[in-house]
């Protein structure tokens, strides 16, 4: 069934001169122009013995030649659902036995195929021309990387655009939202250009892997979000601030669970604690990330060994020498530590909202990479790393780690509702509800524990350090 | 068949349909009448498993619209208010696309599609792009699409709205044939004479609720009272009709015509004619005054407005 939809749409695209003309121009004339530019550039820079600049730029032009027709997919994808809705042809389609997934995948394939074929063709035209012009041929690695980058970028743009198209109520609104795709893609192209220029092929393989994962996440998100109900049930893209605030407050205050009445503080706490078991999967994910970041830190310590004179700072005598000063500083710090931790956790929550939780997880991992790195360097300095962690981190981490874990897990659960909202609620309902539950966990559990951890870190951890290293 | 029980749909604070109870059997045509925004299209969308009801339940052909949407959609044919065609496709390409979605073979689609094109006087148009079709032709293609897989339930929203009288008659005849062929049909329309001609029963919806339901005759009886009769006589009536007051309910009197109502015309009319004769008045004509569905509709809608002003707000 999905192929029936895809075939019709592809055929329709090939019949539309407004789609075909730019695609042909970008497929035939643009590569020829790039070819000419590459030839001229080679001739120019060779006058100054700087052929390396041209040879390093040629792969980038190959990527650009593929990207331009691919970017056209964005325009088609943005209007695929909402355009049909505006033209009133969507409702008959929704009344057929097609499942949501078949319709979504059929549309996505249809949007992806013509620009992708055009991109491959454009790259072929460019390479053939360049071969006959200056005798340049890409390596297999470069060729496969540019083809893969073009493909995954296409899938990412199309899947994100199809999500936008299925969630907006007008083509105009979809086009306005396109900047959320265009800006990151522009930054990505710049990163790829730098990697290609420096010949960082290992980095490019990692980038392809990351983009492929992002593409899978976006397709999965699109499949989860795509609902007939959403397509036909909304007529306006309102920002309902009042509704958002009311929903948030209803969940956050506990009125939702208590039939519109405010619960007493004990009941509110009991119900807040009842959210914790729902954080199981995010906690498992974050625990894996924590262990991975510790391991990564240790590995980095072995790769980037500190010079011997710096390593000497990590020996027991040197640590002990600095402890008295540290103790004085630490006593003035509990609230600073507390507010710093709060700030970082709020940043984690904020960054994750528009990156499907990815940046949030990275913020969560960063300190543990540092702890791992420090432990690794301690080991290299001949000290016991476990003793180091036990003395410097463990006393306050007993409190801090659960608090951070709870906050990060609640935030991750909130962020992931975008990819997989619960079946019986809309995306906006689920997003606001999980945001409010994050706020509940944060205020009710995380803040008190963080405050306790900050005092432990300021007053007890230094004592433990003195006890251990003050020999 | 179609069965709904307390079916309702709300969008945030707006209630589009509330407590809708319908039971439409095989071979029956129910016309849904109502002003714009009354909830007709939302009802059709719920019955097509496109929108999920927020209250109550609905069954189409024995399938639940929420839990068995694929079966529901396989067994219905939907004509939307605007046909929404793909204008770069030819008529036959369009039918091939939709037919394949219902799992029909290409040869069967061609055979049935061409027969329907012929049925609707468009035999020579099936190879033309749909963009070249007139409004009425597009509406007919939409209807052909809805009929292509021989569904047992048809949901038709304004099937003749853009058509010339000849095309509209063709479509109405086809709808009648389908009803006679034991299909269950819901017809949403603003065309009251069409509803009166085609419908076995009519439901008038206002602000999401059914405010009147019944056969056209029942609705007229319920809302407009007993049939109104008019008698024309050959002389001026000079107060002589008072003689009739104890027999029928006189509603108006002109120079030589009397309009009246009676619950029992078979019994009262002969007496009335005899009395007028005794008064020396010759009868020129006696006939029933036709009461249009439009009157019923306007009265029902006005009463509903008085009963629940701004009910959805």
């Amino acid at each position: 069934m999905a192929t029936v939809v895809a075939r019709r749409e592809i055929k329709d695209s090939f019949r539309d001169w407004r789609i075909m003309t730019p695609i042909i121009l970008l497929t035939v004339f643009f590569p020829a122009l790039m070819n000419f530019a590459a030839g001229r550039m080679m001739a120019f820079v060779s006058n100054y013995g700087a052929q390396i600049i041209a040879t390093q730029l040629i792969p980038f032009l190959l990527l650009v030649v593929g990207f331009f027709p691919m970017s056209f997919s964005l325009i088609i994808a943005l209007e695929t659902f909402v355009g049909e809705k505006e033209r009133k042809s969507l409702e008959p389609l929704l009344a057929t036995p097609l499942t949501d997934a078949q319709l979504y995948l059929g549309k996505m394939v249809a949007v992806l195929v013509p620009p992708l074929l055009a991109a491959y063709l454009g790259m072929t035209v460019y390479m053939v021309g360049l071969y006959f012009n200056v005798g340049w041929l890409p390596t297999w690695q470069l060729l496969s990387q540019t083809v893969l980058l073009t493909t995954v970028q296409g899938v990412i743009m199309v899947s994100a655009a199809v999500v936008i198209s299925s969630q907006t109520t007008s083509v105009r609104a979809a086009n306005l939202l396109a900047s959320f795709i265009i800006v990151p893609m522009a930054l990505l192209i710049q990163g790829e250009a730098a990697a290609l220029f420096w010949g960082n092929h290992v980095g490019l393989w990692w980038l392809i892997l990351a983009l492929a994962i992002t593409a899978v996440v976006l397709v999965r998100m699109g499949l989860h979000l795509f609902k007939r109900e959403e397509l036909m049930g909304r007529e306006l893209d309102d920002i309902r601030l009042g509704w958002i605030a009311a929903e948030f407050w209803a969940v956050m205050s506990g009125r939702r669970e208590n039939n519109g009445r405010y619960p007493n503080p004990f009941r509110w706490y009991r119900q807040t604690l009842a959210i914790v078991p729902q954080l199981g999967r995010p906690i498992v994910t974050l625990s894996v990330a924590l262990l991975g970041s510790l391991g990564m830190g240790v590995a980095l310590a072995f790769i980037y060994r500190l010079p011997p004179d710096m390593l000497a700072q990590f020996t027991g005598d040197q640590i002990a020498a600095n402890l008295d000063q540290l103790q004085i500083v630490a006593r003035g710090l509990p609230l600073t530590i507390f507010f710093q931790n709060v700030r970082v956790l709020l940043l984690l929550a904020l960054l994750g909202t528009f990156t499907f939780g990815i940046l949030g997880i990275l913020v969560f991992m960063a300190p543990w990479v540092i702890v791992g790195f420090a432990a690794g360097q301690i080991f290299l300095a001949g000290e016991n790393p476990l003793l180091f962690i036990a003395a410097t981190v463990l006393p306050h981490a007993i409190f801090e780690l659960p608090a951070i874990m709870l906050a990060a897990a609640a935030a991750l659960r909130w962020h992931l509702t975008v990819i997989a909202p619960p079946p019986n609620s809309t995306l906006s309902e689920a997003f606001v509800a999980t945001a409010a539950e994050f706020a509940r966990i944060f205020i009710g559990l995380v803040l008190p524990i963080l405050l306790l951890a900050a005092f432990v870190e300021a007053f007890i951890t230094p004592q433990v350090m003195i006890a251990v290293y003050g020999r | 068949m179609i069965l709904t029980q307390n079916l309702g749909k709300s969008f945030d604070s707006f209630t589009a349909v509330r407590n809708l109870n319908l039971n439409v059997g095989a071979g029956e045509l129910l016309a849904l009448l109502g002003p714009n925004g009354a909830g007709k299209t939302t009802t059709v969308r719920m019955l097509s498993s496109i929108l999920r009801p927020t209250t109550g339940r609905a069954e189409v052909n024995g399938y639940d619209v929420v839990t068995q949407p694929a079966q529901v959609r396989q067994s219905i044919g939907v004509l939307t208010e605007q046909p929404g065609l793909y204008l770069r496709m030819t008529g036959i390409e369009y039918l091939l696309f939709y037919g394949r979605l219902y799992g029909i073979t290409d040869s069967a689609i061609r055979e049935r599609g061409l027969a329907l094109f012929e049925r609707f006087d468009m035999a020579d148009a099936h190879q033309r792009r749909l963009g070249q079709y007139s409004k009425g032709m597009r509406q007919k293609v939409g209807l052909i699409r809805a009929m292509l897989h021989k569904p047992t339930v048809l949901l038709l929203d304004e099937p003749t709205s853009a058509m010339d009288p000849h095309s509209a008659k063709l479509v109405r005849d086809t709808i009648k044939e389908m009803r006679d062929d034991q299909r269950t049909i819901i017809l949403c329309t603003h065309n009251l004479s069409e509803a009166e001609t085609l419908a076995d029963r009519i439901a008038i919806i206002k602000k999401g609720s059914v405010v009147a339901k019944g056969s056209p005759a029942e609705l007229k009886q319920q809302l407009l009272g007993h049939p109104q009769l008019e008698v024309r006589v050959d002389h001026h009536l000079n107060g002589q009709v008072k003689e009739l007051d104890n027999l029928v309910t006189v509603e108006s009197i002109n120079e030589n015509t009397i309009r009246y109502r009676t619950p029992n015309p078979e019994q009262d009319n002969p007496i009335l004619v005899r009395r007028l004769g005794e008064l020396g008045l010759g009868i020129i004509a006696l006939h029933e005054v036709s009461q249009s569905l439009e009157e019923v509709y306007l009265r029902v809608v006005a009463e509903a407005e008085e009963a629940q002003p701004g009910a959805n707000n």
Side-chain angles (χ1 to χ4, degrees):
Chain A
M1 292 273 228
T3 53
V4 176
V5 176
R7 268 165 46 203
R8 189 208 74 75
E9 299 250 342
I10 291 169
K11 206 170 171 182
D12 215 43
S13 292
F14 279 118
R15 279 177 173 170
D16 192 339
W17 67 269
R18 292 164 302 184
I19 295 175
M20 291 316 293
T21 308
I23 283 185
I24 290 167
L25 285 173
L26 290 170
T27 307
V28 181
F29 294 107
F30 184 66
L33 185 69
M34 283 288 110
N35 213 310
F36 173 75
R40 298 289 294 178
M41 186 171 61
M42 287 282 271
F44 177 75
V45 293
S46 62
N47 289 335
Y48 303 95
Q51 288 95 328
I52 191 167
I53 294 173
T55 49
Q56 292 301 92
L57 276 176
I58 283 173
F60 170 64
L61 294 182
L62 177 64
L63 192 72
V64 170
V65 164
F67 180 75
F68 268 50
M70 204 59 244
S71 65
F72 212 77
S73 64
L74 193 63
I75 299 159
I76 312 171
L78 279 170
E79 78 94 57
T80 187
F81 281 111
V82 74
E84 275 220 48
K85 188 181 173 184
E86 281 191 343
R87 291 189 296 275
K88 310 287 182 192
S89 56
L90 189 60
E91 193 173 351
L93 201 56
L94 297 181
T96 64
L98 276 170
T99 63
D100 287 355
Q102 286 168 335
L103 186 51
Y104 180 84
L105 289 174
K107 288 266 189 190
M108 215 186 106
V109 169
V111 169
L112 195 58
V113 167
L116 206 53
L117 290 177
Y120 296 152
L121 186 61
M123 288 162 82
T124 308
V125 169
Y126 174 74
M127 283 187 295
V128 170
L130 214 55
Y131 175 71
F132 287 109
N133 198 3
V134 293
W136 183 86
L137 271 178
T139 62
W140 279 110
Q141 178 167 248
L142 176 66
L143 183 63
S144 47
Q145 282 185 335
T146 43
V147 168
L148 283 172
L149 276 173
T150 304
T151 309
V152 289
Q153 279 168 185
V155 176
I156 285 174
M157 282 194 292
V158 163
S159 48
V162 171
V163 168
I164 287 175
S165 187
S166 64
Q167 299 294 312
T168 46
T169 59
S170 68
V171 174
R172 180 176 171 273
N175 284 328
L176 290 173
L177 286 170
S179 57
F180 285 99
I181 303 170
I182 293 166
V183 172
M185 290 315 286
L187 293 172
L188 183 67
I189 290 287
Q190 287 177 36
E192 288 166 5
L196 280 170
F197 190 79
W198 294 112
N200 185 355
H201 292 288
V202 176
L204 280 173
W205 283 121
W206 280 109
L207 184 65
I208 290 167
L209 180 66
L211 290 176
I213 293 168
T214 309
V216 170
V217 168
L218 281 170
V219 172
R220 184 179 145 77
M221 176 175 135
L223 280 168
H224 266 278
L225 290 182
F226 183 77
K227 288 178 186 150
R228 278 171 160 80
E229 171 88 19
E230 290 286 308
L231 286 171
M232 298 309 296
R234 280 181 300 133
E235 296 299 333
L236 290 169
D237 292 311
D238 285 340
I239 300 174
R240 297 176 295 162
L241 289 176
W243 176 84
I244 291 170
E247 281 288 305
F248 186 89
W249 181 246
V251 177
M252 159 88 178
S253 64
R255 284 180 67 188
R256 170 65 42 84
E257 290 163 279
N258 296 286
N259 300 322
R261 278 184 294 200
Y262 288 107
N264 64 46
F266 295 109
R267 194 177 171 84
W268 186 87
Y269 252 103
R270 211 171 50 240
Q271 288 172 340
T272 303
L273 282 170
I275 301 169
V276 175
Q278 297 173 39
L279 305 178
R281 284 167 73 176
I283 285 174
V284 170
T285 307
L286 291 169
S287 301
V288 172
L290 188 150
L291 292 174
S293 48
L294 280 173
M296 192 189 295
V298 172
L300 286 171
F302 278 84
I303 295 168
Y304 303 103
R305 291 179 70 146
L306 294 177
D309 53 325
M310 285 185 76
L311 271 182
Q313 297 288 320
F314 289 102
T315 58
D317 294 344
Q318 289 294 327
I319 292 173
N322 292 322
L323 282 180
D324 283 339
Q325 193 185 345
L326 179 70
Q327 210 176 347
I328 295 161
V329 176
R331 280 198 186 116
L333 282 182
L335 288 179
T336 309
I337 294 167
F338 172 72
F339 284 117
Q340 169 63 11
N341 284 338
V342 170
R343 221 170 18 234
V344 170
L345 287 177
L346 289 177
L347 180 73
L348 174 155
L350 181 72
L351 291 176
T353 50
F354 52 88
T355 56
F356 312 115
I358 293 168
L359 281 182
I361 293 175
L362 290 179
V363 171
F364 171 83
M365 288 172 71
W368 305 108
V369 173
I370 295 167
V371 169
F373 184 79
Q377 297 297 351
I378 288 283
F379 175 76
L380 292 171
E383 292 288 325
N384 182 349
L386 292 178
L387 185 66
F388 171 77
I389 290 175
T392 59
V393 179
L394 194 62
H396 59 274
I398 291 169
F399 302 102
E400 201 174 83
L401 181 59
I404 293 171
M405 189 63 94
L406 278 174
L412 186 60
R413 177 166 166 263
W414 166 28
H415 302 145
L416 292 181
T417 50
V418 180
I419 302 171
N424 291 325
S425 57
T426 65
L427 173 64
S428 46
E429 284 166 357
F431 193 76
V432 174
T434 48
E437 285 175 350
F438 164 77
R440 260 178 105 148
I441 294 269
F442 198 79
I443 293 168
L445 302 175
V446 174
L447 289 183
I449 302 174
L450 276 184
L451 196 61
L452 179 64
F455 277 93
V456 172
E457 187 171 353
F459 297 110
I460 297 176
T461 305
Q463 299 300 328
V464 176
M465 287 167 72
I466 288 168
V468 174
Y469 289 110
R471 46 201 159 174
Chain B
M1 58 162 280
I2 295 168
L3 179 71
T4 71
Q5 291 171 336
N6 299 322
L7 191 69
K9 178 70 188 173
S10 299
F11 300 98
D12 299 327
S13 58
F14 172 74
T15 304
V17 175
R18 68 180 82 209
N19 295 330
L20 187 70
N21 292 296
L22 298 175
N23 189 350
V24 193
E28 191 177 7
L29 191 151
L30 173 82
L32 282 183
L33 304 182
N36 292 328
K40 304 187 296 288
T41 302
T42 303
T43 303
V44 167
R45 284 177 181 170
M46 283 192 283
L47 294 175
S48 316
S49 287
I50 293 175
L51 291 182
R52 184 182 276 257
T54 38
T55 59
R57 59 186 295 278
E59 271 182 20
V60 174
N61 266 332
Y63 302 117
D64 188 284
V65 295
V66 174
T67 57
Q68 296 168 296
Q71 290 92 328
V72 168
R73 290 195 285 262
Q74 182 69 43
S75 64
I76 60 170
V78 182
L79 172 66
T80 47
E81 189 176 354
Q82 284 166 309
L85 310 179
Y86 299 118
L87 301 182
R88 282 190 210 93
M89 295 179 107
T90 65
I92 195 68
E93 281 173 346
Y94 184 73
L95 295 188
L96 280 165
F97 168 64
Y98 267 95
R100 285 168 189 154
L101 295 179
Y102 286 96
I104 314 173
T105 62
D106 284 6
S107 57
I109 297 168
R110 282 179 195 283
E111 188 185 336
R112 184 155 170 74
L114 292 177
L116 287 166
F117 262 83
E118 202 162 327
R119 174 88 176 78
F120 288 116
D121 274 351
M122 301 195 300
D124 56 344
H126 70 277
Q127 293 288 17
R128 273 162 47 197
R129 296 269 176 100
L130 293 169
Q132 298 168 350
Y133 284 27
S134 68
K135 266 187 179 178
M137 288 169 82
R138 290 179 192 180
Q139 191 78 353
K140 284 192 269 189
V141 172
L143 187 59
I144 293 172
R145 176 194 67 214
M147 296 164 61
L148 190 66
H149 57 294
K150 298 183 178 173
T152 46
V153 171
L154 280 138
L155 307 171
L156 309 175
D157 200 349
E158 299 286 349
T160 59
S161 60
M163 290 182 192
D164 60 72
H166 173 68
S167 297
K169 185 177 181 311
L170 269 178
V171 167
R172 279 197 286 269
D173 290 346
T174 308
I175 294 172
K176 271 186 206 162
E177 277 173 29
M178 287 192 292
R179 185 193 56 191
D180 296 343
D181 199 24
Q182 293 305 299
R183 312 285 168 87
T184 305
I185 302 172
I186 285 189
L187 173 75
C188 299
T189 182
H190 290 293
N191 185 334
L192 300 175
S193 68
E194 182 172 282
E196 194 165 6
T197 312
L198 293 174
D200 299 299
R201 282 188 300 141
I202 288 171
I204 300 177
I205 303 185
K206 169 85 177 164
K207 292 185 176 170
S209 302
V210 172
V211 289
K213 198 161 59 173
S215 69
E218 284 167 354
L219 282 177
K220 285 179 190 174
Q221 170 84 23
Q222 270 174 37
L223 294 148
L224 300 178
H226 300 300
Q228 194 178 38
L229 298 145
E230 185 181 88
V231 64
R232 187 141 42 98
V233 294
D234 57 356
H235 287 86
H236 277 250
L237 296 158
N238 295 316
Q240 298 173 77
V241 289
K242 281 177 186 163
E243 304 275 337
L244 306 175
D245 269 355
N246 56 358
L247 180 65
V248 294
T249 311
V250 176
E251 292 206 325
S252 66
I253 304 165
N254 287 329
E255 280 184 358
N256 58 350
T257 60
I258 311 163
R259 281 196 174 186
Y260 64 95
R261 289 183 193 273
T262 171
N264 213 344
E266 294 87 355
Q267 192 184 317
D268 295 340
N269 281 351
I271 301 171
L272 180 131
V273 169
R274 199 168 58 241
R275 285 197 192 170
L276 289 173
E278 286 165 7
L279 293 167
L281 298 167
I283 308 290
I284 296 175
L286 172 59
H287 62 98
E288 187 176 327
V289 178
S290 71
Q291 300 180 102
S292 69
L293 190 62
E294 190 177 354
E295 274 180 78
V296 174
Y297 173 80
L298 292 174
R299 181 176 291 194
V300 167
V301 169
E303 281 174 7
E305 183 64 42
E306 283 168 24
Q308 40 164 267
N312 287 335
N313 301 325

